[in-house]
Amino acid sequence: MKESQGKTVFLRDYQVPDFLIDETSLKVELFEDHTLVSAVLHMRRNPQSPNPQAALVLHGRQQELLEVAVNGRFLTDTEYQLDKEHLTINEVGDSFVFECRTRIHPETNTSLEGLYKSRVMFCTQCEAEGFRKITYYLDRPDVLSVFTTRIEADKNLYPVLLSNGNEMEQGDLGAGRHYAVWHDPFRKPAYLFALVAGDLRHVQDSFTTCTNRQISLKIYVEEKDLDKCEFAMGALKRAMRWDEEVYGREYDLDIFMIVAVDDFNMGAMENKGLNIFNSSCVLANPATTTDFSFGRIESIVAHEYFHNWSGNRVTCRDWFQLSLKEGFTVFRDAGFSADMGSRAVNRIEDVGFLRTVQFAEDAGPMAHSVRPESYMEISNFYTVTIYEKGSEVVRMISKLLGPELFRKGTDLYFDRYDGMAVTTEDFVSVMEEVSGIDLRQFRRWYTQAGTPILEVSRRYNADRQEYHLTFTQSCPPTPRQPEKKPFYIPVAAGLLNEKGQEMPMRFAGESAILTSRVLAVTEPQQTFTFVNVPQAPVPSLLREFSAPVKLKNDLTRDELMFLMSHDTDGFVRWDAGQQLALQVMQECMQQMKDGMVFEMDQRLVLAFEHVMRSSIDDPSMDKAMVANLLLLPSEAYMAELAETVDPEAIHEVREQVRKQLARQLRLIFAAVYNANTTAGSYTYNAEEVARRTLRNTVLNYLMTLEDAAWFNQAWLQFCSADNMTDESAALRAFLNNPCPANETLRKEMTVSFYAKWKHETLVVEQWLSMQSAAPVKDNLPGIKALMEHEAFDMRNPNKVRCVIGAFCNSNTVGFHAADGSGYHFLADQVITLNRINPQIASRQLTPLTRWRKYDTARQAKMKEQLQRILAEPELSPDVYEILSKSMDQ
Ligand code: TRP
Ligand code: ZN
């Protein structure tokens, strides 16, 4: 391994900047074969810096420096030093004007970081460290500056020129060129800078704030996408209102813009006043967009908007504090989504994601705490731990404080730190200050990585009418953290009597009667004793998933069924069903391994039947909840729970159980399908989404019957649907349940779907990912064929995610083929992507890094591919970090 490749940055080395930049003026001259950037920076020494003599060291990469001047005087070659990452000037005064002019090449920038071209338009992505590819600068989040940006470009090709803030001026330059000047009055770090130039159309709306200010809202898209902006506009207005009502946060500028671009490394970016979105995360209409995507778009639009306060007005001191803005903002967008739809179902879906993806990360070689101590490449730390676990941590704080105190805390946080760059510690301190609650132990959630395991045992003493719950917590070692201290784990709990009613939960000496309470587990082992308990209760634990832990209980299958139908908490009801299904599938897996006949515990069938009967008998029941209760734990979740993963056995048993359920319950599955057929034309609302979700969930079971009547029904749904949800679900039902009997129809439908939608990029992306994600053995040749398809493009991250990502992450049985072909395939793609787009390359690598979870034969094959990538010359720091961390130990 090449030591020089991996430079590690440590939190403990943080130092305040030696210089500040009060004003930043940029001139960006866009041409087809190059771009010229002129920067004028009004700088001064930071009075807080401990080095009053420090040299000026600016960040900068991949630029050609044409001129550099200080206080209007050009510097000669000997007055500054340049290396690959910096421009250094040894002698500068206390206050001065720095100027430079550089040439860059957005037209060949395939990393999609800095200034680049997405098809026909110029756009930027500066978070985390992309601004240094645009000009020399102090590219760190604790240097905040007021920006003025002048853009010059060809008037025909780029009639629309946008940047942050307000447009001050625009005009003609002659020779077919024009310019625009934008000024953002709010100080911001460079990572929030944005610039867009293109032939764009927009839809416009306005929002009246709580203080009666009119905000102009604009969504910019290519002309062909003008019919896909309405939904995002509505979502934006709902988010603006919600942030006023729930957090008391009003928007600050007079204009808020969103731009949709096709080539984007992530979902979207919260640039001040000018959010840039991956088109897949903003464009929507019923014909091309599934219900799932509508929900996702609503939450991402809200997420980016919420960053205006949690991220922009109050920003991060350094990138170790990333969860300060991301964890908090995910928490905020989850609250918004819960208020827009079903709270319980949103929670179930979020927890499902956390438990599969984040728990797996926390158990893998890249495990890191919510506030990491070190990194090599910050782009690698935009993780589910920073985002989703970070949100869980804020969620626990909000529950500990309760709604009033938490709001008091966020008010104080926004007020005190407005315009500043702060730390997660500042956030926690404010919460402590407003509540008087001691959060010292709680802070370990920020510093210790790994998912705590919480084992619970129970004992009922009939003579003394006492009930004891004993919790034992532990946390497995993670890289550089062999030993963990106990966490503060809030366990929301209730006790149910035999009728399913909540029993009082009383500690000795208490008189107040509480029927549910939050138990604070703080010790490695801790017992809670409840008194006056007339009968042995069934415990309902970790309600609403009150802490991000792995709960190990000893509930029997009968008790799980009891909780499924009686608990008041939607999450516990669902999770009891998941545990029941897991137990049954594990038992079946053992039978299969022992060569015994497959005999499935009928209690799972009964539970499914009960759920479906109730939904037919009581049409007011939440159908989204029903649909979730009918989903078996995913293969990915089963893999996460396994000590050593056997991908084939997991796939096989889950398929068998699915088929068995469908066979035994075919009539009631059919009844649910028929009870939920479409009445009128498509509408997107919680009730209709739930109905479609339930119907399509059931269709997926019915397809396993290999029954011509159901093939026909699915085909009919495919042909007659007036919306993408039902149309794609019907195709997916075929793709996920392939069999010789449906092969002809399946292939015909796949072809006709493409023919119908080939001009809609976002639908083509779904078409690619449906095929690539299908959990089917031996379909690698099909995946390779998709990469040869005209619709595929290795330089477009969405296409890469929809084919390579979908196959390697969702088709576990295909990716983990015993011959190692899936591993070899992924390594090939990472090697290619490393040269095109390092951020995307390193993200795709993830499934290979989880080799420790597999049998020795697979481990060897996975490591061999990691080695092969490592032997490549010119590995990006992004890929190198993931490789080196997953290879050592
Ligand atoms: N801050 C963005 C968000 O809302 C994340 C993001 C967008 C990003 N583009 C990026 C992070 C590129 C790293 C690189 O979550
Ligand atoms: Zn974010």
Side-chain angles (χ1 to χ4, degrees), residues 747-765:
K747 295 205 160 140
E748 259 176 47
M749 286 165 66
T750 309
V751 170
S752 73
F753 186 93
Y754 180 73
K756 177 175 172 191
W757 293 111
K758 65 178 177 187
H759 300 299
E760 290 286 355
T761 312
L762 298 175
V763 184
V764 170
E765 285 169 11

Side-chain angles (χ1 to χ4, degrees), residues 125 127-128 264-270 303-304 307 325-326 379 382 387 839:
Q125 172 54 41
E127 190 178 3
F264 203 70
N265 281 346
M266 305 270 280
M269 180 62 211
E270 70 265 23
H303 178 102
E304 305 311 330
H307 268 315
K325 74 177 178 78
E326 296 304 347
S379 301
Y382 287 75
Y387 280 68
Q839 286 183 20

Side-chain angles (χ1 to χ4, degrees), residues 775-786:
V776 185
K777 274 189 193 171
D778 305 321
N779 71 340
L780 185 56
I783 304 306
K784 289 181 177 162
L786 281 180

Side-chain angles (χ1 to χ4, degrees), residues 239-296:
M240 294 178 86
R241 190 61 75 212
W242 188 89
D243 213 14
E244 290 183 343
E245 287 170 357
V246 179
Y247 281 86
R249 298 293 116 202
E250 184 182 355
Y251 186 62
D252 46 18
L253 287 161
D254 298 328
I255 173 169
F256 185 82
M257 298 175 282
I258 287 177
V259 182
V261 306
D262 285 340
D263 302 284
F264 203 70
N265 281 346
M266 305 270 280
M269 180 62 211
E270 70 265 23
N271 314 303
K272 182 77 186 188
L274 179 56
N275 288 359
I276 298 184
F277 273 63
N278 185 321
S279 49
S280 73
C281 297
V282 59
L283 303 180
N285 68 32
T288 59
T289 309
T290 60
D291 290 339
F292 177 80
S293 291
F294 274 114
R296 194 154 166 265

Side-chain angles (χ1 to χ4, degrees), residues 117-137:
K117 257 191 126 170
S118 175
R119 293 164 11 84
V120 290
M121 62 180 117
F122 286 95
C123 63
T124 53
Q125 172 54 41
C126 294
E127 190 178 3
E129 297 180 336
F131 192 77
R132 62 186 66 183
K133 293 170 83 171
I134 297 175
T135 189
Y136 287 97
Y137 205 74

Side-chain angles (χ1 to χ4, degrees), residues 354-355 358-363 389 445 448-454 474-476 478 484 487 545 548-551 640:
L354 182 87
R355 286 205 303 208
Q358 197 279 325
F359 282 16
E361 178 166 274
D362 240 348
K389 188 175 184 176
W445 285 109
Q448 296 190 142
T451 307
I453 296 166
L454 188 60
S474 61
C475 182
T478 49
K484 315 283 169 141
F487 287 87
F545 196 66
V549 300
K550 289 190 188 181
L551 182 69
E640 207 290 307

Side-chain angles (χ1 to χ4, degrees), residues 75-92:
L75 301 191
T76 61
D77 294 358
T78 56
E79 288 175 296
Y80 63 91
Q81 294 104 54
L82 265 191
D83 66 35
K84 279 195 127 158
E85 300 281 334
H86 311 97
L87 165 64
T88 305
I89 304 176
N90 288 322
E91 311 274 320
V92 288

